[in-house]
Amino acid sequence: MSSSQQQRKLRQPIVVVLGHVDHGKTTLLDKIRGTTVALKEPGAITQHVGASVVPASVIEKLAEPLKKFLPRFKLIIPGLLFIDTPGHEVFSNLRRRGGSVADFAILVVDIMEGFQPQTYEAIEILRQRRVPFLVAANKIDRIPGWKPHPDQPFLISYRMQKPEVQQRLEELLWNIIGEMYKLGFRADRFDRIKDFTKTVAVVPVSAKTGEGIPELLAVLAGLTQQYLQKRLMYAEGPAKGVVLELREQPGLGVVADVIIYDGILRKGDIIVTGGLEGPVITRVRSLLMPKPLVEIRTAKRELESVDEVVAAAGVRIVAPELEKAVAGAPIFVARDEEEAKELAKKVMEEIEAIRIRTDKEGVIVKADTLGTLEALVEALKKRGIPIRVADVGPIAKRDVIEAVASKQINKYYGVIIGFNVKVLPEAEEEARKHGIKLFVHNIIYKLIEDFEKWYKEQIEADRRREFESLVRPGKIRILPGYVFRRSDPAIVGVEVLGGVIKPGYPLMREDGKRIGEIMQIQDKGKSIPEARAGMAVAISIRGKVMIGRQVDEGDVLYTDIPEKHVQLLLTKYRSWLSNDEMVVLKEIIKIKRKQNPLYGLVFPQQQQKQQG
Ligand code: GDP
């Protein structure tokens, strides 16, 4: 940056905080805001709608004691804009075609707990949206023996810790760095990094004591202004933003909380956004921002009307027809009606690109906003799960009807996956009627995990059912002296020589001649469902068989397996057969091939189908 005019045009980077639940995201944001307020920088408006700004002057003041550790840098960005609500949902809604409105992210990891499911999920979505990030290794004050030095830079507090405490911290940091490495990232403690374009910075902090906050802010500011300069140049033209949230405000109707990442938004501007039913073209009636307070922060500040806001900003827009918009939609200022129509087309294309409506097999996906829908659809696609319908809104009867249709094509995909949505009562009723499974959760990875678990169980159960329906290999010998009845049905004592026999199994002789089928198996006078190798039981045989004529005492019999079953046993279920079943199966095939040399052969095409 050479000319000071250019410098003035850099806006604040938009920063989001992500991480696993309870790792300290909210505490960290509170600490950052509190620090800013405590320093009482005069004239600095720090509060936006849904966001807070830490001015450059505050960051510089905090970085003062770091002079001897870190190379000096002059801030050319006006500050950092933090999105107030941490987490994946808000991040998902900060969507922008092919990326994110967020310029940078802080991934909070509890240093004592390390990586957790949502940590991985956060990295995945940051990667998807191509948002650079650093890792805040939080809760360093919980390392046994740690002596807190409130609000001090980490590097200063670190020097005052005992060697074994320093050692422990290094080990814990190495766990994080190692985990990052497994995910394909090079990472290191921030003060040991030479090239920040290749290495993810890890900043040890305590959101509770404030240790490390100076470095966290300094590294954030330094990295963003050095590497994102082009992105941070804003035009003094019409505003561009994203609808973060829509809310009903008494007396004003539905208002939109938006994040402006480029340009200037003015009262009276024509704005263009979109909803599920079509574009929304309207005029800004008023812009609301929190009243700047001279003293101390309070949780809820009063809003006041302003004439314009300049990127980057979080602002509440009051305008007619906003109830038709959807959270996560882009919002643009148009110079005139003509341009508004063009922009409306662009907005709708973007919204329609996220929604899915097909008549193919696939799951039904519902989410609360456009942003979360997009994130969920991306996650499902990544795992190869097909989608029939994807839309914003509660789970309705219509969704169940779609699921029923999908189920008819592929029963494993006749389900509804809902992120943070309600299930309407009539939909619930309809789903119960048709046995449609609903998955509803407010954590994306949980939803996918639950669905995949269910899917596996279904497939497993179906396989098991099919396997159970097959005639399996069995070999028995009629015990001499144990003929209880000669025919209609014949009842004999047998010894199972190999494999398994069950009621319903057809039997054949050693020469392949069918002699009837097993009616019942009894052991000590009790009917049993099966008999395995080594057991001696009584069986009744139905069919045209008379002991002493077709078969005799001492004869060996086999189960007479239909060819289709043999093929399945040799392919899909080969590994399900025990060794003795396999031996008997080979004997059966040998007998059968005397009449049909191709018996049981599986041709490659068939094999594929049967294994599938
Ligand atoms: P979130 O779910 O990620 O937003 O986590 P919270 O900010 O709600 O923090 C979860 C818990 O961890 C709370 O009890 C916090 O007080 C505690 N916590 C957060 N940061 C720190 C820290 O740096 N040190 C300690 N000791 N506790 C912390």
Side-chain angles (χ1 to χ4, degrees):
M1 264 315 113
S2 50
S3 100
S4 60
Q5 206 186 355
Q6 267 176 311
Q7 289 176 6
R8 252 185 281 131
K9 280 194 173 177
L10 282 189
R11 61 166 173 83
Q12 310 92 333
I14 299 168
V15 182
V16 288
V17 177
L18 297 180
H20 193 71
V21 63
D22 281 346
H23 279 197
K25 302 180 291 294
T26 312
T27 314
L28 183 68
L29 276 163
D30 282 346
K31 191 72 191 178
I32 290 169
R33 279 192 294 252
T35 310
T36 306
V37 174
L39 285 183
K40 285 195 198 121
E41 275 300 304
I45 301 174
T46 59
Q47 205 57 42
H48 288 224
V49 172
S52 310
V53 166
V54 179
S57 56
V58 169
I59 301 169
E60 277 168 355
K61 215 172 194 173
L62 285 170
E64 270 289 307
L66 286 166
K67 271 189 304 213
K68 34 183 198 281
F69 304 101
L70 294 178
R72 284 205 68 146
F73 62 90
K74 173 99 191 79
L75 283 185
I76 53 173
I77 50 168
L80 297 164
L81 183 134
F82 287 90
I83 301 294
D84 279 342
T85 316
H88 302 185
E89 256 171 85
V90 167
F91 178 77
S92 298
N93 269 342
L94 284 168
R95 52 170 310 287
R96 183 176 163 185
R97 195 199 281 267
S100 176
V101 164
D103 299 300
F104 208 88
I106 300 177
L107 177 65
V108 179
V109 181
D110 182 332
I111 196 169
M112 305 304 288
E113 273 198 12
F115 274 45
Q116 296 296 319
Q118 281 164 291
T119 319
Y120 295 104
E121 191 179 63
I123 290 181
E124 198 170 302
I125 60 177
L126 288 170
R127 209 182 229 163
Q128 255 171 28
R129 305 262 168 119
R130 288 189 286 278
V131 176
F133 64 99
L134 60 72
V135 175
N138 191 31
K139 308 198 187 183
I140 53 170
D141 64 289
R142 288 191 53 218
I143 296 171
W146 184 271
K147 278 234 149 45
H149 301 88
D151 299 322
Q152 286 298 308
F154 160 77
L155 291 173
I156 291 177
S157 180
Y158 178 76
R159 293 199 159 186
M160 296 191 275
Q161 306 298 328
K162 288 200 188 110
E164 62 268 26
V165 176
Q166 290 181 344
Q167 180 59 32
R168 183 77 189 116
L169 176 107
E170 295 296 338
E171 284 164 16
L172 292 166
L173 283 181
W174 268 107
N175 293 343
I176 291 176
I177 290 166
E179 215 45 56
M180 291 287 291
Y181 187 77
K182 279 191 218 153
L183 297 173
F185 292 97
R186 188 189 296 192
D188 209 345
R189 208 173 92 175
F190 69 98
D191 55 316
R192 295 168 180 158
I193 296 175
K194 289 202 184 71
D195 183 352
F196 281 94
T197 60
K198 295 205 178 82
T199 313
V200 176
V202 182
V203 185
V205 297
S206 166
K208 195 171 171 190
T209 67
E211 287 160 292
I213 300 294
E215 285 104 325
L216 184 74
L217 294 174
V219 171
L220 268 173
L223 284 180
T224 49
Q225 73 175 18
Q226 187 163 1
Y227 300 109
L228 302 175
Q229 252 180 43
K230 237 173 111 189
R231 205 180 140 100
L232 297 180
M233 301 251 235
Y234 76 94
E236 284 178 348
K240 292 180 186 156
V242 63
V243 178
L244 206 50
E245 209 180 330
L246 293 154
R247 60 170 85 221
E248 178 87 37
Q249 188 163 329
L252 295 178
V254 172
V255 297
D257 289 353
V258 307
I259 298 293
I260 302 295
Y261 60 85
D262 194 13
I264 301 174
L265 176 63
R266 296 192 171 91
K267 201 168 153 175
D269 274 350
I270 305 174
I271 47 171
V272 181
T273 182
L276 302 177
E277 308 301 332
V280 177
I281 302 178
T282 180
R283 237 174 233 282
V284 177
R285 189 178 289 158
S286 57
L287 296 173
L288 302 179
M289 288 284 275
K291 265 187 194 161
L293 283 189
V294 201
E295 265 304 311
I296 333 286
R297 57 189 259 265
T298 51
K300 279 218 169 74
R301 284 196 186 174
E302 257 179 72
L303 299 179
E304 64 173 3
S305 178
V306 296
D307 289 336
E308 64 169 44
V309 293
V310 178
V315 62
R316 178 164 299 172
I317 299 178
V318 183
E321 291 192 60
L322 284 178
E323 68 280 357
K324 293 185 197 148
V326 60
I331 186 161
F332 298 118
V333 165
R335 291 194 181 89
D336 51 38
E337 296 290 334
E338 194 72 19
E339 196 184 28
K341 278 188 201 135
E342 268 168 50
L343 288 169
K345 225 176 107 197
K346 200 168 129 189
V347 168
M348 287 320 292
E349 270 168 21
E350 200 171 321
I351 293 177
E352 290 313 318
I354 298 169
R355 301 166 85 189
I356 298 172
R357 192 156 290 276
T358 69
D359 51 9
K360 302 199 189 81
E361 68 172 38
V363 299
I364 314 303
V365 184
K366 296 302 287 277
D368 59 339
T369 70
L370 207 56
T372 52
L373 183 69
E374 186 177 37
L376 182 53
V377 163
E378 274 166 12
L380 288 166
K381 279 186 179 164
K382 199 164 172 222
R383 284 161 184 80
I385 301 167
I387 300 166
R388 178 184 172 94
V389 171
D391 214 338
V392 175
I395 296 174
K397 191 171 168 183
R398 182 173 152 191
D399 300 313
V400 180
I401 294 168
E402 288 292 339
V404 171
S406 178
K407 194 177 179 181
Q408 275 159 9
I409 313 173
N410 183 333
K411 63 189 227 183
Y412 306 122
Y413 294 135
V415 304
I416 302 175
I417 297 180
F419 176 82
N420 215 15
V421 289
K422 284 206 186 81
V423 183
L424 299 180
E426 53 178 31
E428 197 148 15
E429 176 67 40
E430 193 77 2
R432 200 173 320 115
K433 213 164 77 192
H434 293 282
I436 295 296
K437 178 105 178 125
L438 307 180
F439 298 88
V440 183
H441 214 283
N442 53 10
I443 298 175
I444 289 181
Y445 84 82
K446 267 304 276 179
L447 268 177
I448 292 177
E449 204 175 86
D450 288 354
F451 169 71
E452 284 185 333
K453 182 162 169 267
W454 173 86
Y455 181 89
K456 269 204 201 105
E457 282 167 4
Q458 296 302 302
I459 294 214
E460 195 53 34
D462 284 352
R463 284 190 146 212
R464 172 68 41 200
R465 219 170 290 131
E466 183 179 51
F467 181 62
E468 292 302 332
S469 76
L470 301 178
V471 174
R472 302 219 315 254
K475 180 180 183 183
I476 55 179
R477 192 169 71 100
I478 301 175
L479 292 170
Y482 285 91
V483 177
F484 305 112
R485 196 181 150 129
R486 295 206 165 266
S487 67
D488 279 332
I491 301 176
V492 291
V494 300
E495 181 192 0
V496 183
L497 302 175
V500 59
I501 55 167
K502 293 184 186 188
Y505 279 13
L507 295 172
M508 64 177 186
R509 296 193 309 214
E510 279 179 292
D511 63 357
K513 179 149 176 54
R514 168 79 67 99
I515 53 125
E517 105 187 358
I518 300 173
M519 273 174 74
Q520 238 195 54
I521 305 175
Q522 287 198 351
D523 185 24
K524 300 184 190 86
K526 266 203 189 123
S527 187
I528 55 170
E530 61 171 47
R532 292 182 170 275
M535 289 172 74
V537 294
I539 64 170
S540 49
I541 307 172
R542 162 169 56 203
K544 284 212 175 74
V545 58
M546 182 172 280
I547 309 299
R549 193 162 299 165
Q550 292 90 348
V551 287
D552 220 335
E553 298 179 31
D555 278 2
V556 169
L557 302 175
Y558 287 94
T559 53
D560 188 359
I561 312 178
E563 183 165 13
K564 182 94 191 41
H565 293 201
V566 169
Q567 286 168 340
L568 282 167
L569 290 174
L570 286 176
T571 53
K572 204 165 163 183
Y573 300 110
R574 196 180 186 104
S575 62
W576 295 37
L577 295 178
S578 62
N579 286 341
D580 65 304
E581 278 178 301
M582 208 59 213
V583 170
V584 174
L585 180 60
K586 281 184 184 148
E587 291 176 21
I588 291 171
I589 290 172
K590 210 165 155 193
I591 294 169
K592 289 285 193 179
R593 288 213 176 135
K594 282 188 187 139
Q595 279 152 24
N596 171 8
L598 299 180
Y599 178 86
L601 277 187
V602 184
F603 300 98
Q605 236 177 343
Q606 247 175 326
Q607 182 160 11
Q608 257 174 16
K609 227 166 74 194
Q610 281 164 357
Q611 277 176 335

